[in-house]
Amino acid sequence: MENAKKVPEIFGSMVFGDAVMRERLPKDIYKALKNTIENGEALKLDIANSVATAMKEWAMERGATHFTHWFQPMTGITAEKHDSFIEPLDNGQIIMRFSGKALVKGEPDASSFPSGGLRATFEARGYTAWDPTSPAFVKEGTLYIPTAFCSYGGEVLDKKTPLLRSMQVIAKSVKKILEIFGRDDLTPTTTVGAEQEYFLIPKELYDRREDLQFCGRTLFGATPPKRQEMDDHYFGAIKPKVKAFMEELDIELWKLGVMAKTEHNEAAPAQHELAPIFSTTNIACDHNQLTMEMMKKVAEKHGLVCLLHEKPFMGVNGSGKHNNWSLSTTSGINLLEPGDSPNENLQFLLFIVAVIAAVDEYAPLLRLTVASAGNDYRLGASEAPPAIVSIFLGDELTEIFEAIENGKGYDKKGKVYMDIGADVLPKIRKDNTDRNRTSPFAFTGNKFEFRMLGSSLSIAEPNIILNTIVSDILDRFAERLSDADDLPQAVLELIKETYSEHKRVIFNGNGYSDGWTEEAEKRGLPNLRTSAAALPYLRSEQNVALFERHGIFTASEVNSRCDIMLESFAKTVHIEALTLIDMINKEILPSVASYMNSLTELALRKAELGVSSGFERDLVKKLSITCDKTASSAAKLERAVNTAEKKENVSERAEYYDKDIRKLLNELRTSIDELEQKTAKKYWPYPTYADMLFYN
């Protein structure tokens, strides 16, 4: 790694951030731009021109020759179109120019991105609009400008626009509550820290697996003798090759202003995690997209491939993304910080109970924000939270709310310290909550950790929904408390009523247990196990009304997003089916047939010598039976895919892929894994799990 003393110089060196703007912009221009960023004031063209000129000069000093409007369409990844700074002169020469108009507005083709029917192919025009709240940056010779993306008619086609809307909405709602408590001097915001899990495998092996290349996951693979049962990989010593990757990744992310902080081995072999320091939600979302992109690029430089699929290997832990969400202020106050006496902090308790009510009331909506074909294999698999949405509060907070509900006093425990038993070790102060790894939505001291997200997903949707549903509850609270004569008593009554109505969603136990599934059903909590079951809830009257009430989406935008996500689910499983059929017919069956032929020839030679060939004959018979079964199932899968594609209704098509196609995929996996276990290694055409997960 580069000299550690240079890290402060490296950090943000490729970002057109506040310090750079302060240095390079005239004072009046800087002040106007800050007013736009902090207060949402419209940016005049002359201001934009000055900013664009300074931004271009700064970027060119860092080797940039092009600029791009960097946006986040509904594909789940980012998009970019590069334009050079060159402008022609009358004498045939050129000048490097970047105007305010080019900074604030771009025109990509809107019809080529998912629109859910909002745009037809012949209606191509779309617009990108500069988001000044997320700093521009230089990467690989190009100035990247974070932007929103909409259609010619103004319909939302991206993830950033509704996220910014939701941040604006919750800031207003939180401010209402703060003003009721006499804190009109505070400006609220939401913050997020997104922990990212991923796998690294050798590129030479990845290049030999068609399923990894097309689907991001292995569609078959026999269980190796050793997996993760020894718990020796989690937090274990990092391999030199992986350590070199992590060091370069840190440098590249730091240059881009991403506060990469923690890195370690995860539970499964070849699995790792990176965690950043929190930042405002919008920037956290942009930074997570950059993190995933840079992981893939840096890995390839080290002869590795970064897998971000939620379940690349069956039988070992999949990968998630923990979304640590909190309410804060621009002055650095965490509104979810309980303090030394949370039972006496009415403001804190009111915000907490608002989150409880929001999560309970809109549980299906929160669940569907993490729905994807890949995440279906992870949720509820005793390696990730179940598909049942519940909240972990911890003993102390639960006891406080129970005391309020029952009208009893709470015996303050105060600070508790642990004596570990060795004099040389310091006494450690206990947190007021444990960390429940089995909970999908856990309060962890001063934030809520939403643990259901899949590793490949954008964090935009979960945070759009979190912001919106909490805002909805806070608005109700503000309306009720605005004219209260005795504010403390009114707040206590509101906390009591809300907790009593929504406490069914609180569960502090083991979310992996079968008992919890039964208990959740008794409580009336929804259990939407698959994406196909969860996604249609987006269209519910309750949810459409919520989005329209807060100006997040129109009804047509809700319907389009639902169609896009259902279509994405169906297409993902469709590609998996076609890939598996291809691998079976072109490689697996021919390879096993070659092995059977070699066994048959050996058996004949042994017979000529009068030597028993029972082993070879029995094995050929077993392989032949399994091959016939595999070929038959593959043909059945192909027919089922044709049937699925004839279904015009996207919800019906997604459901068919979920229930029928996936059933056949699982049957084929079992057959192929049996073939792999019985076929000699030199004949098996693909790298095995042992090859890919256990490398030096």
Side-chain angles (χ1 to χ4, degrees):
M1 179 181 280
E2 298 180 33
N3 193 321
K5 293 182 179 179
K6 294 182 179 179
V7 172
E9 299 174 19
I10 294 169
F11 188 82
S13 59
M14 305 301 279
V15 180
F16 192 75
D18 185 73
V20 177
M21 291 190 292
R22 186 188 295 272
E23 176 188 346
R24 290 180 175 256
L25 296 175
K27 287 184 178 180
D28 58 331
I29 302 295
Y30 171 77
K31 185 177 180 181
L33 180 58
K34 288 292 286 183
N35 197 32
T36 295
I37 294 171
E38 295 176 358
N39 302 316
E41 295 292 333
L43 194 68
K44 295 180 180 179
L45 184 58
D46 60 332
I47 303 296
N49 281 328
S50 295
V51 175
T53 299
M55 193 181 286
K56 178 208 68 177
E57 292 174 354
W58 170 85
M60 288 179 60
E61 290 171 11
R62 282 149 185 79
T65 56
H66 289 68
F67 70 92
T68 181
H69 276 198
W70 185 65
F71 57 103
Q72 299 172 31
M74 290 296 293
T75 55
I77 56 177
T78 57
E80 53 196 64
K81 179 188 73 170
H82 296 219
D83 288 292
S84 69
F85 290 128
I86 66 169
E87 294 285 349
L89 296 175
D90 293 339
N91 60 2
Q93 300 298 307
I94 61 151
I95 187 173
M96 302 294 269
R97 179 179 292 158
F98 184 47
S99 68
K101 183 178 179 181
L103 168 63
V104 301
K105 175 186 170 185
E107 294 189 18
D109 185 343
S111 66
S112 298
F113 292 100
S115 70
L118 288 177
R119 299 292 288 163
T121 302
F122 68 89
E123 297 173 321
R125 192 181 297 278
Y127 297 113
T128 49
W130 176 37
D131 170 21
T133 64
S134 185
F137 55 91
V138 170
K139 181 168 68 72
E140 298 169 350
T142 298
L143 171 65
Y144 281 71
I145 302 160
T147 57
F149 178 46
C150 68
S151 73
Y152 180 73
E155 297 95 348
V156 174
L157 298 178
D158 72 336
K159 297 173 184 288
K160 179 182 280 287
T161 304
L163 181 62
L164 291 171
R165 290 174 177 175
S166 74
M167 292 175 66
Q168 181 174 300
V169 163
I170 194 169
K172 290 179 179 178
S173 300
V174 172
K175 192 166 185 62
K176 292 177 188 176
I177 299 297
L178 292 176
E179 288 175 347
I180 288 172
F181 279 91
R183 297 304 308 270
D184 56 0
D185 58 321
L186 299 175
T187 302
T189 188
T190 55
T191 59
V192 166
E195 303 170 33
Q196 180 71 54
E197 295 175 347
Y198 60 97
F199 280 82
L200 290 175
I201 65 169
K203 188 177 188 303
E204 60 180 324
L205 302 182
Y206 170 87
D207 289 341
R208 291 167 52 198
R209 293 281 310 212
E210 190 178 338
D211 48 0
L212 284 177
Q213 293 177 51
F214 292 158
C215 311
R217 75 179 183 102
T218 55
L219 300 175
F220 56 86
T223 303
K226 180 180 184 292
R227 290 175 291 170
Q228 62 190 59
E229 54 268 64
M230 298 304 294
D231 300 322
D232 54 346
H233 190 260
Y234 189 59
F235 276 33
I238 300 172
K239 296 175 183 177
K241 180 178 286 191
V242 174
K243 182 61 177 174
F245 156 81
M246 289 179 171
E247 288 178 352
E248 183 171 352
L249 177 64
D250 280 340
I251 292 293
E252 294 305 316
L253 290 177
W254 289 340
K255 288 177 182 177
L256 298 172
V258 179
M259 294 191 181
K261 177 70 173 178
T262 304
E263 55 200 22
H264 61 82
N265 289 346
E266 254 299 332
Q271 187 186 34
H272 314 279
E273 179 179 300
L274 182 148
I277 297 174
F278 69 88
S279 52
T280 57
T281 305
N282 178 34
I283 293 176
C285 185
D286 286 357
H287 282 182
N288 186 248
Q289 292 290 343
L290 276 174
T291 297
M292 292 190 288
E293 178 190 332
M294 295 308 299
M295 280 178 168
K296 292 181 179 180
K297 288 185 177 180
V298 174
E300 194 159 349
K301 292 173 64 176
H302 291 262
L304 300 167
V305 170
C306 175
L307 302 177
L308 292 172
H309 194 282
E310 287 72 22
K311 194 72 172 179
F313 304 100
M314 294 298 288
V316 299
N317 271 22
S319 295
K321 182 146 45 190
H322 302 170
N323 189 88
N324 295 282
W325 177 91
S326 191
L327 296 174
S328 302
T329 69
T330 54
S331 57
I333 299 173
N334 189 326
L335 299 174
L336 298 186
E337 176 64 55
D340 293 335
S341 304
N343 58 304
E344 298 174 358
N345 189 341
L346 286 180
Q347 178 182 288
F348 161 76
L349 293 174
L350 188 65
F351 282 128
I352 293 293
V353 83
V355 176
I356 293 171
V359 171
D360 182 38
E361 192 166 323
Y362 293 101
L365 184 57
L366 200 57
R367 159 67 180 97
L368 69 84
T369 67
V370 299
S372 72
N375 213 19
D376 283 352
Y377 290 106
R378 173 180 163 266
L379 293 179
S382 294
E383 65 191 57
I388 305 164
V389 177
S390 66
I391 295 177
F392 169 82
L393 278 186
D395 293 339
E396 183 177 6
L397 273 179
T398 302
E399 289 171 10
I400 290 171
F401 281 116
E402 289 289 337
I404 292 173
E405 182 188 23
N406 296 321
K408 297 179 180 179
Y410 175 73
D411 184 15
K412 180 183 175 183
K413 295 181 178 180
K415 299 178 182 179
V416 178
Y417 289 86
M418 298 172 61
D419 187 345
I420 303 177
D423 292 342
V424 71
L425 297 176
K427 291 184 178 181
I428 300 174
R429 181 183 174 185
K430 290 182 67 173
D431 292 310
N432 55 16
T433 67
D434 199 349
R435 293 190 66 191
N436 189 330
R437 291 176 56 85
T438 72
S439 174
F441 201 85
F443 183 70
T444 56
N446 58 9
K447 62 188 183 301
F448 282 96
E449 184 179 21
F450 189 22
R451 302 184 68 251
M452 294 177 75
L453 282 69
S455 54
S456 67
L457 298 182
S458 164
I459 67 171
E461 279 97 352
N463 287 293
I464 291 167
I465 301 309
L466 269 174
N467 291 345
T468 305
I469 62 178
V470 174
S471 175
D472 196 59
I473 302 298
L474 290 177
D475 281 353
R476 296 183 212 169
F477 285 3
E479 185 176 355
R480 175 165 167 175
L481 296 173
S482 60
D483 297 324
D485 294 327
D486 185 343
L487 182 62
Q489 186 59 37
V491 172
L492 273 174
E493 285 297 320
L494 180 55
I495 291 171
K496 177 180 178 179
E497 291 175 19
T498 306
Y499 176 77
S500 181
E501 182 180 353
H502 296 286
K503 69 177 183 178
R504 66 171 186 164
V505 78
I506 295 170
F507 178 64
N508 293 333
N510 181 7
Y512 293 168
S513 67
D514 293 335
W516 166 232
T517 303
E518 297 170 5
E519 172 64 23
E521 187 176 358
K522 292 178 183 177
R523 296 187 186 190
L525 300 179
N527 186 4
L528 303 172
R529 291 182 174 86
T530 68
S531 296
L535 288 171
Y537 278 85
L538 188 61
R539 305 186 208 266
S540 74
E541 290 184 11
Q542 177 196 29
N543 293 334
V544 172
L546 169 78
F547 293 131
E548 291 191 320
R549 183 162 61 248
H550 294 285
I552 306 298
F553 300 118
T554 64
S556 61
E557 288 170 344
V558 171
N559 281 319
S560 75
R561 291 175 107 77
C562 188
D563 283 347
I564 288 169
M565 290 188 283
L566 284 166
E567 192 68 48
S568 176
F569 172 85
K571 286 178 179 177
T572 299
V573 184
H574 177 79
I575 292 168
E576 290 179 350
L578 295 185
T579 300
L580 188 56
I581 291 168
D582 199 52
M583 297 176 82
I584 289 170
N585 292 335
K586 293 182 178 179
E587 292 285 355
I588 294 173
L589 290 180
S591 297
V592 178
S594 295
Y595 180 50
M596 288 193 293
N597 185 56
S598 71
L599 289 172
T600 301
E601 291 178 355
L602 178 59
L604 290 173
R605 289 198 300 271
K606 291 175 75 174
E608 291 174 356
L609 296 172
V611 179
S612 172
S613 59
F615 166 75
E616 289 82 5
R617 293 176 184 275
D618 287 346
L619 183 53
V620 168
K621 184 177 181 181
K622 291 176 182 177
L623 285 170
S624 181
I625 291 171
T626 308
C627 279
D628 288 346
K629 181 180 178 182
T630 302
S632 176
S633 295
K636 188 177 179 181
L637 176 61
E638 193 165 3
R639 291 192 297 272
V641 169
N642 291 333
T643 300
E645 288 305 286
K646 293 176 183 177
K647 295 182 180 295
E648 295 184 3
N649 183 281
V650 67
S651 295
E652 291 179 4
R653 189 161 65 252
E655 185 175 359
Y656 187 83
Y657 271 108
D658 181 34
K659 294 181 178 178
D660 295 79
I661 304 294
R662 277 183 161 178
K663 181 180 179 181
L664 292 170
L665 285 172
N666 290 333
E667 289 176 4
L668 277 165
R669 174 184 279 276
T670 301
S671 298
I672 297 169
D673 289 354
E674 186 178 335
L675 289 175
E676 181 186 327
Q677 290 173 320
K678 289 183 170 64
T679 302
K681 187 174 180 64
K682 73 174 184 177
Y683 284 92
W684 190 250
Y686 297 109
T688 66
Y689 275 22
D691 297 328
M692 292 182 285
L693 294 174
F694 297 93
Y695 62 90
N696 294 322

